[in-house]
Amino acid sequence: MPAESDIAARIRTALGEYLKRDPASIEPRHALREDLGLDSMATIELLFKIEEVFDLQIPDQDLQKLAKVSDVIAYVEGRVGRPATPAAKPPAKRPAPKKKG
Amino acid sequence: MNQRVVITGLGAVSPIGIGVGQFWKAALEGRSGISAIHPFDDLPLEAYRSRVAGQIHDFTPAHYLDGPHVDRVDRYAQFALVAAKEALSDSGLRIERENPHRIGTIVGAGMGGMVMGEREITQLYRSQRPNRVHPNFIPTITLNSASGIVAMAHGAKGQNLTISTACSSSAHAIGQSLLTIRSGRADAVITVGADASITPLVFAGFCSLRALSTNFNETPEKASRPFDRARDGFVMGEGAGALILESLPHAKKRKARIYAEVAGYAATSEAHHMVIPREDGLEVAETMALALKDAKVRPAQVDYINAHATSTPIGDAVEVKALRHLFKSRADRMLVNATKSMIGHTLGAAGALGGVVCALALETGQIHPTLNYEDPDPACALSGISTQAQERPITIALLNAFGFGSNNAAVVFRKFSR
């Protein structure tokens, strides 16, 4: 089995955290709905988390392309460039709220 | 006690007109109230996925209201005050001549006073000065602020309730007003639905929920397109609708103009999911069936449906599936329209504005068009939906409203006959 990209590992970690299960039990072939039990709302919440992790905006029309874990991995890899190395830069930190006066 | 209940006054505040006359004329002409969203101060608009809305751009409260109430309430409650004032004036009901404890107020509101709510929260965190939170913050954001202020403005001392069931709030308000009068607990109820929550945070929240249309940001008037194949989410609207519901004997005694009868109502919970409807539509069909049963009307008697039809891919298809399930072949013989195609989804106001439309449709036989129904989605297509206004005598109308929280409501209206 080829080595997993850093992106794939981070997505599985995010999924594991969201689903409260061991990331190692989540496989690329798993369908978000049928295998992992995510309904459309849960998928939106998961993608909200992935947008944060990778500092991405995922347009509504791309949602239907994301049926399996492998689709999500391929999509994110396509959006952030080549499969990232383990030294990928962390997502940009949000600016602290401005204080007045 | 089982009084018949009639509608004797109407009021409307909407993106296509303030006042029932303007609203109805624009609706029959098929005018769209959807436009590019007004900027939220200095927030980056491009970071909002959806950038269209049905906003009321020319609302100056002082044009419609006077007295101490105007400036001390949030925008949604100002809308409620304007619509209620119009409806009361239209009905000729003079509360000072009535026993005020027999006049109730029931308001449906989904979000409430979010304009001030968001402003005060933002200021608190920016300024770090809790002692500068406005003293009127709590009375403004309390969800019953509109029902309180409407009753106060008119001296209505009967039951004063707020119903918050998201997008079905004011359909429930109409239904609960019906039950209140029918059971003899009030002679009349000022029934209102209002919301004004096209605010930076709420709008962002609906964007994050991916509930809003995003494909028509450059062509706002095309964005709200119930039943059409290209629909891709709802468009937020704002406004208020008001109806004076009154017992028939009371209305007759004062020789009031009667628009229509409110004949039946049902409220159910799908007990299914916070935001996703059951795809088989069976609970929606059951809700409509229960409302018809309450009105002692058979499905075959229904002439017109004011559909919930928000223009979301799943919601419209489920509603049509339910209509086909309940009405069978009659589903294609009824007239059906979607008020939201013109004004967007006004959330807590949607049911009341739909009720105003039903009352006028029964009275005039006129059915407003459904905008942007250009390429009927096979999952939603019904023969009675048209992009043109239609005219036909209508005896029974049915209003649907479904809300987050797995809520369904249906209200049956009947052409009034003595």
Side-chain angles (χ1 to χ4, degrees), chain B residues 16-34:
Chain B
I16 56 169
I18 297 171
V20 169
Q22 264 194 36
F23 167 72
W24 188 235
K25 183 172 184 289
L28 291 177
E29 288 169 358
R31 283 209 347 243
S32 172
I34 312 301

Side-chain angles (χ1 to χ4, degrees), chain B residues 227 305 307 316 319-321 323-324 327-337 373 376-386 390:
Chain B
F227 310 123
I305 307 280
D316 294 4
E319 186 171 11
V320 171
K321 197 182 271 186
L323 288 170
R324 291 202 177 284
F327 292 98
K328 308 285 188 296
S329 64
R330 188 168 180 82
D332 276 308
R333 297 203 300 276
M334 304 182 296
L335 299 177
V336 179
N337 65 4
Y373 181 62
D377 179 352
C380 300
L382 289 168
S383 307
I385 308 170
S386 173
Q390 305 179 79

Side-chain angles (χ1 to χ4, degrees), chain B residues 251-332:
Chain B
K252 272 184 169 171
K253 195 172 77 190
R254 56 180 202 89
K255 299 186 172 58
R257 169 191 184 175
I258 292 172
Y259 285 95
E261 179 171 357
V262 186
Y265 160 64
T268 67
S269 170
E270 296 198 349
H272 173 63
H273 191 285
M274 281 306 286
V275 301
I276 304 170
R278 268 184 63 146
E279 291 194 28
D280 61 15
L282 291 178
E283 293 296 334
V284 171
E286 176 68 9
T287 310
M288 293 189 284
L290 289 169
L292 292 172
K293 192 176 171 199
D294 185 48
K296 300 186 174 59
V297 165
R298 285 174 289 110
Q301 293 174 272
V302 177
D303 303 300
Y304 162 57
I305 307 280
N306 187 276
H308 183 63
T310 60
S311 186
T312 62
I314 181 171
D316 294 4
V318 167
E319 186 171 11
V320 171
K321 197 182 271 186
L323 288 170
R324 291 202 177 284
H325 179 82
L326 178 63
F327 292 98
K328 308 285 188 296
S329 64
R330 188 168 180 82
D332 276 308

Side-chain angles (χ1 to χ4, degrees), chain B residues 1-8 93 98 102-103 177-178 180-189 244-254 256 258 261 416:
Chain B
M1 187 77 75
N2 211 357
Q3 304 280 18
R4 286 171 72 189
V5 177
V6 294
I7 300 166
T8 56
L93 183 69
E98 306 286 332
R102 300 282 303 162
I103 313 292
S177 297
L178 164 69
T180 299
I181 301 168
R182 187 190 265 174
S183 64
R185 289 165 190 265
D187 293 329
V189 178
I244 305 303
L245 266 59
E246 194 167 347
S247 80
L248 179 59
H250 196 268
K252 272 184 169 171
K253 195 172 77 190
R254 56 180 202 89
I258 292 172
E261 179 171 357
F416 177 67

Side-chain angles (χ1 to χ4, degrees), chain B residues 21 54 106 161 177 198 200 205 254 357 389 400:
Chain B
I106 301 184
L161 299 176
S177 297
I198 305 174
R254 56 180 202 89
V357 168
N400 277 337

